[in-house]
Amino acid sequence: NFGKPDYQAHAEEFEMLAKGAGAEVVATVMAKRDKPDAAYFIGSGKLEEAVLLAQSSDVDIILFDQALSPAQQRNLERAFNLRVVDRVALILDIFALRAKSHEGKLQVELAQLQHLMTRLTRMWTHLERQRGGIGMRGPGEAQLEMDKRMIGDKVKVLRERLSKVERQRTTQRRSRARGGTMSVSLVGYTNAGKSTLFNALTRAGAYAADQLFATLDTTTRRIWIEGAGQVVVSDTVGFIRDLPTTLIAAFKATLEETVQADLLLHVIDASSPQRDEQILEVNKVLEEIGAKDIPCILVYNKIDAVGYEPKIERNEEGRIVRVFVSALDRTGLDGLRGAIAEAKEKIGNNVASLKN
Ligand code: GDP
């Protein structure tokens, strides 16, 4: 972690990511440098220490909490004589494990192929150089072209399938909008408690787990809220810092649900020491997907863990900006429902006109 202040917390989060991918963490090595090493990312001293540690423990794989260049990854694999996986590949792997819907699976596959594509060229270039290029140029180039074309074709097929699913989604959304139903999207940092809150609000059994990325696919349910009437609530994918850009692109369709919402509930883990950093990360993603102007209520969740009481906070204009709840204990939920109803009243007049 370069120049980042709370590397301890980042290390813990990374450990959770590793566990999410099914790894058992044997040892952690922290490296602090001003600038990553071009060849190995970490310095030679750290590398030696890590290699010795890996050799003395029963290690199968080395995980890096950073994005590695293909060259760095290759050099490290040689130094460790083990498979080396960087943060981007790890996150893609977890997404691949967790995707449940047809659309989610397509999106992950697309992101993985795109990630592979960027490495492929360099892999072949490297092979050619390694053998002095002699005798490799012809077949190497042909093979590279073939691999690229095959992946390119696959990417095209996936894109077409995805846009079909997207069109269906848009149709569904339109028919909802015509009914004047308000749509609410839960957004937030991974593990903030979105699924738990979604369940508490809708009393459905969506999957909630102490794992990063438990939710990959948007789940949508209709609920009735006193004073707001029919409301469609969507639980969306959790945001996390340094989300690979290929993933953001692949999940555009899923995130579009968020962009189209009338109201966002930004769920925050009030008990996390990193909560302010996490709020900023989520806001960054919201801006990236063009959702930053949607009315938003900050929902401070897990108040049971920090001993806060349920409450509602308003700004100077009297608009509700913060609601404190515990999704686990189901406290503060009436306040949240009231806040949704109030928001509907404020934006209600615009909903119908905006959607038509
Ligand atoms: P998501 O990734 O945002 O969907 O988060 P989840 O709903 O899967 O919850 C992540 C973890 O936080 C789970 O272990 C939940 O049981 C826990 N959690 C969720 N809400 C609360 C809460 O209000 N209080 C406490 N103490 N834990 C919570």
Side-chain angles (χ1 to χ4, degrees):
N1 289 280
F2 296 100
K4 292 192 178 149
D6 29 21
Y7 55 91
Q8 184 60 44
H10 286 175
E12 274 164 31
E13 182 187 280
F14 186 59
E15 202 164 303
M16 209 145 114
L17 267 176
K19 284 185 188 144
E24 188 195 323
V25 180
V26 178
T28 309
V29 176
M30 303 248 214
K32 272 204 256 180
R33 276 172 71 92
D34 293 330
K35 202 164 128 275
D37 180 76
Y40 291 98
F41 198 86
I42 50 177
S44 56
K46 268 292 160 202
L47 179 63
E48 207 170 302
E49 180 192 330
V51 168
L52 281 176
L53 192 62
Q55 279 167 354
S56 62
S57 6
D58 196 13
V59 172
D60 302 310
I61 198 164
I62 306 290
L63 305 176
F64 263 79
D65 189 19
Q66 298 282 344
L68 297 173
S69 74
Q72 285 165 339
Q73 186 183 345
R74 212 169 38 238
N75 293 338
L76 286 164
E77 286 191 331
R78 237 182 262 138
F80 282 103
N81 200 20
L82 286 168
R83 206 153 78 82
V84 172
V85 171
D86 74 350
R87 185 180 168 91
V88 177
L90 182 66
I91 291 178
L92 283 173
D93 198 63
I94 296 173
F95 271 77
L97 278 172
R98 302 262 192 287
K100 279 190 230 85
S101 75
H102 178 54
E103 186 178 6
K105 284 184 182 142
L106 287 177
Q107 284 163 338
V108 175
E109 207 181 333
L110 184 62
Q112 280 179 318
L113 281 178
Q114 284 167 336
H115 186 58
L116 184 66
M117 192 93 121
T118 61
R119 321 229 125 193
L120 208 59
T121 316
R122 296 184 187 113
M123 202 169 78
W124 277 105
T125 319
H126 160 70
L127 263 180
E128 279 162 39
R129 250 190 239 128
Q130 200 183 11
R131 316 220 173 147
I134 302 164
M136 279 295 293
R137 251 166 241 138
E141 262 164 46
Q143 183 64 44
L144 171 62
E145 280 315 307
M146 232 160 67
D147 287 355
K148 269 212 250 125
R149 205 171 322 125
M150 258 166 57
I151 295 180
D153 287 349
K154 190 89 208 269
V155 165
K156 219 176 112 205
V157 171
L158 283 174
R159 281 236 172 83
E160 276 160 16
R161 279 200 213 143
L162 266 173
S163 72
K164 209 170 120 192
V165 185
E166 261 166 56
R167 278 198 297 275
Q168 284 164 356
R169 203 189 259 286
T170 314
T171 318
Q172 283 165 8
R173 220 159 28 214
R174 274 214 202 93
S175 56
R176 274 207 304 267
R178 249 182 256 122
T181 311
M182 182 199 205
S183 63
V184 177
S185 276
L186 299 181
V187 296
Y189 203 78
T190 304
N191 233 39
K194 293 179 296 298
S195 299
T196 312
L197 184 64
F198 181 79
N199 286 340
L201 281 174
T202 66
R203 307 201 177 244
Y207 181 58
D210 205 0
Q211 272 176 338
L212 295 176
F213 301 117
T215 315
L216 276 185
D217 308 307
T218 309
T219 321
T220 299
R221 291 219 173 77
R222 233 168 235 281
I223 55 169
W224 175 269
I225 289 180
E226 188 67 45
Q230 286 260 23
V231 175
V232 173
V233 186
S234 301
D235 185 10
T236 58
V237 57
F239 303 155
I240 189 167
R241 105 196 132 77
D242 301 335
L243 202 62
T245 44
T246 41
L247 261 179
I248 295 190
F251 274 78
K252 270 264 153 69
T254 309
L255 296 173
E256 224 150 70
E257 196 88 17
T258 307
V259 184
Q260 302 279 335
D262 299 312
L263 175 70
L264 301 181
L265 300 182
H266 179 163
V267 185
I268 296 153
D269 180 350
S271 73
S272 167
Q274 271 70 54
R275 82 177 181 202
D276 293 332
E277 188 195 344
Q278 293 174 349
I279 292 172
L280 291 178
E281 284 299 326
V282 172
N283 286 339
K284 217 164 79 189
V285 178
L286 286 177
E287 188 165 348
E288 256 166 78
I289 61 171
K292 77 173 199 316
D293 294 327
I294 300 173
C296 181
I297 297 174
L298 299 176
V299 181
Y300 283 76
N301 187 34
K302 308 198 188 182
I303 56 168
D304 59 287
V306 274
Y308 295 170
E309 288 302 311
K311 65 171 173 185
I312 284 173
E313 283 180 5
R314 296 170 185 275
N315 63 9
E316 290 104 53
E317 289 100 60
R319 194 176 74 80
I320 297 174
V321 284
R322 287 191 199 86
V323 179
F324 291 70
V325 305
S326 164
L328 199 67
D329 294 350
R330 304 194 165 182
T331 50
L333 295 186
D334 281 338
L336 180 57
R337 287 190 200 97
I340 295 173
E342 238 187 80
K344 163 134 194 196
E345 210 171 287
K346 289 241 159 70
I347 55 181
N349 301 330
N350 305 333
V351 173
S353 58
L354 276 176
K355 286 274 173 104
N356 286 324

